[in-house]
Amino acid sequence: MGTRRVTMRDVAEASGVSPATVSFVLNDVTEQHILPATQERVRAAARELGYVPHAIAKALREGSSRIVLLALPQGIRGPGLDAYTRGLDDELARHGHVLLVRHGSPLHGGLESVVASVAPRAVIDLSGLYQDEAAVAADGPVTTNDGGWVDGLAAHTLVQLRHLVDAGHTSVAVALPEDPGWARLAAVRLGFARQAAVRLGLAEPVVLTVPRDRAAAIQAVRDLRRDHPGVTAVASFDDAVAMQLLAALHGLGVTVPDELAVIGFDAVEYGSFATPALTSVHIDAGAYGQRAARTVLGLEPPADPPAGATVVVRESV
Amino acid sequence: MGTRRVTMRDVAEASGVSPATVSFVLNDVTEQHILPATQERVRAAARELGYVPHAIAKALREGSSRIVLLALPQGIRGPGLDAYTRGLDDELARHGHVLLVRHGSPLHGGLESVVASVAPRAVIDLSGLYQDEAAVAADGPVTTNDGGWVDGLAAHTLVQLRHLVDAGHTSVAVALPEDPGWARLAAVRLGFARQAAVRLGLAEPVVLTVPRDRAAAIQAVRDLRRDHPGVTAVASFDDAVAMQLLAALHGLGVTVPDELAVIGFDAVEYGSFATPALTSVHIDAGAYGQRAARTVLGLEPPADPPAGATVVVRESV
DNA sequence: AGTTCTCGCCCGTCCATGATG
DNA sequence: ACATCATGGACGGGCGAGAAC
């Protein structure tokens, strides 16, 4: 119980040297020449005593902890983001850092106070991607040190639309969620979709906002089909929107994919349980996470751009 | 750029007192009487200089940071857990603490190294709930300082089964995921379901393990119906399993809920997009999170037990 | 020159000790 | 002698430039 923690001074005493020497040995400071014999004694003592460096003391000295903070909004999820997080974590671990996630309620004074009380080595703030409409107006760069995650979304959106083109579609709609919490990201993604349409020689995509309410969603789809009868496929913001769409189309008696094709984004597993099973875009974001890690740590990011996205072909396109 | 951070000594100098006095004032130490006029001067100086206490130094002194760490396994999600996290976060914020989440890969040496480098005030480790089968064997108490979250699951499982009983079912099955990552929690939940069955006067529930693979899932359901024709309802481990089940039943041409009713757990939004829309159990875990926060902070947890779960009635039961 | 040590620093906390009226 | 108000400085644990052997 009351056993005080083992400090460097304990190790120093046990091995008959000064704390400074212990520090040099345990940190492999090459500028400082320590007799191999001494090194051995120090290491042995450290091992025997079970010395563990005190992270807080180290952080005080170094000015920041070895934590990297990933700020995410509440309730934002998805396979792609999971992969991103994993890639980030792995690469950080490789360099002795730890990834901690802050699922930020915008309450609580926001990030600053958290950053102040954690003193992380770096912060990757993705919460700007998911702001309410008020914040959407001021659209500067969404985020910077994300390792290209947001830029990657552009490429992935291209993959999504290209699949529709490859399936023979020439006039498509883009389905966006109604939720204001997604407004910022929805706007970003819509921009990417427009760019992709241009590159693919498609007509300007029709925008379909899908309401939460089931009846309203059905109405929205009905309107789309009436106003834009030429549209034969819908590229969805994500799989949740796609599945809402599928449900609405089922309600309307529209067959998928024959009368209207639907493709999701960021393939979730449960998409395969829909009827028809949802075709979607699988995003392997691990490489982006790794890039982000190297960026925030000030290391050279890998030259080769990350691998992109692939289409998970099921039944809805 | 090179502006050194503002320290307590700067504030002391600016207000003509010693650092000690600044500390007493800013921390509202009542044992130490400081002239109100002096207090005002100190506070004014702190405000003007934009003094922010250095969290790491404080942590070094206090022995631990004001971080509470929530350890979760990779990829574990759900509305209930979200609510739990939010309740936890809110209550911690109310007491000047910060919740940080560690989405732990069991690699990276696990929690210990993270704890060592973060020195959190407390750790709530829910990762034990989601271990592989090897770890399942040694089933001690799953977790302790979770504010009753796990115990709550027992109550919620009772709500789930009770809904089936209220709908007139007398012989039910429990659907569990095949994924070994869920084995531990599945075992726990199955235990709760058995207890609930006893309390409700139901027969011992039949266990249905639902394979990932679609064809295999269909086969499993077919077997269930052949071997246990008396079973008229299935209580699912979670909504994902329930939706798999729905898909399999659709494939078999079994009508839901007439021939077989299905109820999910931890109502996800996309359950409403299934056909038929999935009836599920909504878990309001905020109060559990709050309890957990108070527990780990050493405060008195609220006497009244948290509100339970409610059934989201849609179409599948 | 080759090794090792002394000592101040990082910054906030709080006990023991003053200073003042 | 006695509150009341304020301060010096050790401490937590690791680091590393410069001094010392």
Side-chain angles (χ1 to χ4, degrees):
Chain A
M1 278 279 85
T3 42
R4 211 174 38 76
R5 69 170 294 131
V6 178
T7 76
M8 222 157 77
R9 282 159 236 275
D10 297 326
V11 176
E13 201 167 337
S15 50
V17 298
S18 75
T21 305
V22 175
S23 174
F24 289 133
V25 171
L26 298 184
N27 291 305
D28 291 314
V29 175
T30 47
E31 295 79 42
Q32 199 60 240
H33 294 273
I34 309 284
L35 247 10
T38 309
Q39 295 202 22
E40 205 33 68
R41 257 189 305 140
V42 170
R43 279 188 226 281
R47 220 176 304 121
E48 258 168 64
L49 295 176
Y51 168 70
V52 179
H54 192 300
I56 296 188
K58 186 179 296 213
L60 177 61
R61 191 79 238 277
E62 295 181 355
S64 72
S65 65
R66 285 177 160 270
I67 296 172
V68 171
L69 199 63
L70 175 63
L72 249 33
Q74 290 269 19
I76 298 303
R77 319 247 121 141
L81 195 52
D82 281 357
Y84 179 79
T85 306
R86 215 166 307 126
L88 193 50
D89 197 11
D90 288 346
E91 186 67 17
L92 288 175
R94 215 162 283 136
H95 300 281
H97 290 249
V98 169
L99 179 71
L100 255 28
V101 181
R102 164 88 192 142
H103 290 280
S105 27
L107 303 90
H108 309 168
L111 258 186
E112 291 99 52
S113 65
V114 177
V115 170
S117 77
V118 176
R121 181 64 47 97
V123 178
I124 299 175
D125 186 3
L126 253 36
S127 62
L129 265 180
Y130 309 85
Q131 289 168 341
D132 61 350
E133 293 184 271
V136 176
D139 54 356
V142 173
T143 179
T144 50
N145 59 1
D146 63 355
W149 166 240
V150 171
D151 293 344
L153 290 178
H156 307 151
T157 303
L158 182 63
V159 169
Q160 186 189 36
L161 293 210
R162 197 201 308 278
H163 185 70
L164 296 180
V165 170
D166 290 348
H169 299 280
T170 54
S171 175
V172 307
V174 171
L176 265 23
E178 189 190 41
D179 189 338
W182 292 95
R184 182 73 194 268
L185 187 55
V188 170
R189 289 281 312 284
L190 179 57
F192 293 154
R194 287 190 168 129
Q195 290 169 22
V198 170
R199 284 191 52 178
L200 295 167
L202 282 168
E204 166 86 10
V206 175
V207 178
L208 168 66
T209 300
V210 183
R212 273 288 169 92
D213 176 65
R214 189 158 190 165
I218 289 181
Q219 188 57 48
V221 175
R222 202 201 311 270
D223 291 350
L224 171 77
R225 292 184 45 82
R226 185 195 57 213
D227 300 340
H228 304 277
V231 168
T232 56
V234 184
S236 293
F237 174 80
D238 64 10
D239 279 13
V241 169
M243 288 180 74
Q244 266 189 86
L245 227 42
L246 252 28
L249 290 167
H250 181 84
L252 282 171
V254 176
T255 63
V256 176
D258 297 342
E259 294 182 73
L260 193 67
V262 176
I263 185 169
F265 193 79
D266 199 14
V268 297
E269 195 187 6
Y270 59 80
S272 66
F273 309 139
T275 314
L278 183 65
T279 292
S280 190
V281 177
H282 167 77
I283 300 169
D284 183 15
Y288 292 97
Q290 189 180 349
R291 287 175 79 89
R294 299 190 65 89
T295 304
V296 300
L297 257 31
L299 302 166
E300 204 54 40
D304 48 325
T310 52
V311 176
V312 179
V313 181
R314 295 199 276 237
E315 302 165 358
S316 69
V317 179
Chain B
M1 285 283 85
T3 42
R4 209 175 39 78
R5 68 172 293 131
V6 177
T7 75
M8 222 160 72
R9 283 161 233 274
D10 298 326
V11 176
E13 200 167 339
S15 50
V17 297
S18 73
T21 305
V22 175
S23 175
F24 290 131
V25 171
L26 298 183
N27 291 304
D28 291 314
V29 176
T30 47
E31 294 80 43
Q32 198 56 245
H33 293 270
I34 308 285
L35 238 22
T38 309
Q39 296 202 22
E40 204 34 68
R41 255 188 306 140
V42 170
R43 279 187 226 283
R47 221 177 302 119
E48 257 166 66
L49 295 176
Y51 169 69
V52 179
H54 193 303
I56 296 187
K58 186 179 296 215
L60 177 61
R61 194 79 240 277
E62 295 181 354
S64 72
S65 65
R66 283 175 161 272
I67 296 172
V68 171
L69 199 63
L70 175 62
L72 249 32
Q74 291 269 20
I76 298 303
R77 319 246 120 141
L81 196 52
D82 280 357
Y84 180 78
T85 306
R86 215 167 307 126
L88 194 49
D89 197 10
D90 288 347
E91 186 68 15
L92 289 175
R94 215 163 283 137
H95 299 282
H97 290 249
V98 169
L99 179 70
L100 254 29
V101 181
R102 165 90 192 139
H103 289 281
S105 27
L107 301 88
H108 309 168
L111 259 186
E112 291 98 52
S113 64
V114 177
V115 170
S117 77
V118 177
R121 181 63 47 97
V123 179
I124 299 175
D125 187 3
L126 253 35
S127 62
L129 266 180
Y130 309 85
Q131 289 168 339
D132 61 350
E133 293 185 271
V136 176
D139 54 355
V142 173
T143 177
T144 52
N145 59 0
D146 62 356
W149 166 241
V150 171
D151 293 344
L153 291 178
H156 307 152
T157 304
L158 182 63
V159 168
Q160 186 189 35
L161 292 211
R162 198 200 308 277
H163 184 71
L164 296 181
V165 171
D166 290 348
H169 299 280
T170 54
S171 176
V172 306
V174 171
L176 265 22
E178 189 190 40
D179 189 337
W182 292 95
R184 183 73 193 269
L185 186 55
V188 171
R189 289 281 312 284
L190 178 58
F192 292 154
R194 286 190 168 129
Q195 290 169 22
V198 170
R199 285 191 51 179
L200 295 167
L202 283 168
E204 165 87 9
V206 174
V207 177
L208 167 66
T209 299
V210 182
R212 274 287 168 93
D213 176 66
R214 189 160 192 163
I218 289 181
Q219 188 56 47
V221 174
R222 202 201 311 270
D223 290 351
L224 171 78
R225 293 184 45 83
R226 185 195 58 214
D227 300 339
H228 304 277
V231 168
T232 56
V234 183
S236 293
F237 174 80
D238 63 10
D239 280 12
V241 169
M243 288 181 71
Q244 266 188 87
L245 228 40
L246 252 27
L249 290 167
H250 181 84
L252 281 171
V254 176
T255 63
V256 176
D258 296 343
E259 294 182 72
L260 192 66
V262 176
I263 185 169
F265 193 79
D266 199 13
V268 297
E269 195 187 5
Y270 59 81
S272 66
F273 309 138
T275 312
L278 183 66
T279 292
S280 190
V281 176
H282 167 76
I283 300 170
D284 182 16
Y288 291 97
Q290 189 181 349
R291 287 175 79 89
R294 298 190 65 90
T295 304
V296 300
L297 256 32
L299 302 167
E300 204 54 41
D304 49 324
T310 53
V311 176
V312 179
V313 181
R314 295 199 277 238
E315 302 165 357
S316 68
V317 179

